[in-house]
Amino acid sequence: MNTTAASTTLAANQSDCPEVQLPFSLFFAIGAASLAENLMVVAAVVHNRNLHSPMYCFICSLAAFNTLASLSKTCENLMLVFADVGHLDQSGTSEKKMDDVMDSLLCMSFVGSILSFLAIAVDRYITIFHALHYHNIMTVQRAGAILAIIWTACGVLSVLMVRFSDAAFTLICFVVLFLVSLGLIMLLYIYMFILAAMHARKIGSQGGRGCSNMRGAVTLTILFGAFLVCWTPFFFHLIVITVCPANPYCECYRSLFQPHLALMMSHALIDPAIYAFRSAELRHTFKKLLFCSDWWRCY
């Protein structure tokens, strides 16, 4: 197909499925609210000694990755607004470098969220089924080492993904990482709940500790479900624009980019609400952060 015909086909596809536009104020509001919420989660974990446990360290890491996603997309949207009014040149060298930085942060947030969920799933498994040896297996120092590995790996992978974004191999690695991590997390949760059902009496004999830990597993299952709902359409969008750039059905899916982007950004807004709803300790800490006049000394 020649260039003229391709352009005509693309224009027809675009007219059949016009791009859905959302107001910038919506993206800015989601970004600002999610940034404030996740910073509050990080502050709560840092300043409340009762939350200085491996599980909450991993949750704090997840909140930090959510913060990166909020920052990157908010800054990117601001750049688009400035470009629309002529204050930025999207083809300029500095603008392209800034866009690469924003893309790197978004990739880092995506990969970091997956790896954080995987670390949390492993932590829950050890807590529930190796409760007597948990504090020997999962120490704060080991949790810190795991987080250091996660953040280092995410930083390196995000730079490589953006640097070689035009290569098909990069997209394949991105898809494989997502699917493999997703499969591992789902299998681990299924295995946990099967074992929990088989050993209900043994868990109950631990003075209710098992029930509390299973509640934690349910909470993290809800968190992971929210991650899938919010990120999958955006992730699928990246695949679509690479696999079928001229297909009319793909064009219709691409026309929903802004709703998919808003849904992806909403994930960082939803997570803290789930923490607060499911964790009494976090709710108590949030109240101190919000209403204590000298919250640095409230602990």
Side-chain angles (χ1 to χ4, degrees), residues 129 195-211:
F129 300 108
L195 285 182
M198 293 174 59
H199 298 87
R201 292 183 180 179
K202 182 178 180 180
I203 293 174
S205 68
Q206 297 176 359
R209 176 180 174 83
C211 294

Side-chain angles (χ1 to χ4, degrees), residues 18-70:
E19 184 177 356
V20 177
Q21 298 285 341
L22 297 179
F24 167 75
S25 57
L26 175 63
F27 291 103
F28 188 80
I30 294 174
S34 60
L35 180 61
E37 285 187 357
N38 284 283
L39 286 177
M40 191 163 64
V41 172
V42 174
V45 174
V46 170
H47 292 289
N48 187 346
R49 294 173 183 172
N50 294 331
L51 300 178
H52 289 181
S53 65
M55 184 190 75
Y56 282 106
C57 288
F58 295 136
I59 287 179
C60 183
S61 175
L62 181 60
F65 281 120
N66 285 337
T67 302
L68 287 181
S70 301

Side-chain angles (χ1 to χ4, degrees), residues 189-266:
Y189 276 127
I190 292 172
Y191 184 58
M192 275 196 292
F193 286 114
I194 290 176
L195 285 182
M198 293 174 59
H199 298 87
R201 292 183 180 179
K202 182 178 180 180
I203 293 174
S205 68
Q206 297 176 359
R209 176 180 174 83
C211 294
S212 175
N213 290 331
M214 282 307 300
R215 178 180 171 84
V218 171
T219 299
L220 297 169
T221 303
I222 296 172
L223 287 171
F224 186 61
F227 173 81
L228 289 180
V229 170
C230 293
W231 275 90
T232 299
F234 180 80
F235 179 80
F236 189 62
H237 182 94
L238 299 179
I239 299 176
V240 166
I241 62 177
T242 304
V243 174
C244 54
N247 186 283
Y249 296 103
C250 293
E251 186 65 29
C252 286
Y253 188 83
R254 287 198 300 273
S255 69
L256 299 174
F257 174 71
Q258 289 200 12
H260 294 161
L261 182 60
L263 186 62
M264 181 270 290
M265 292 179 64
S266 297

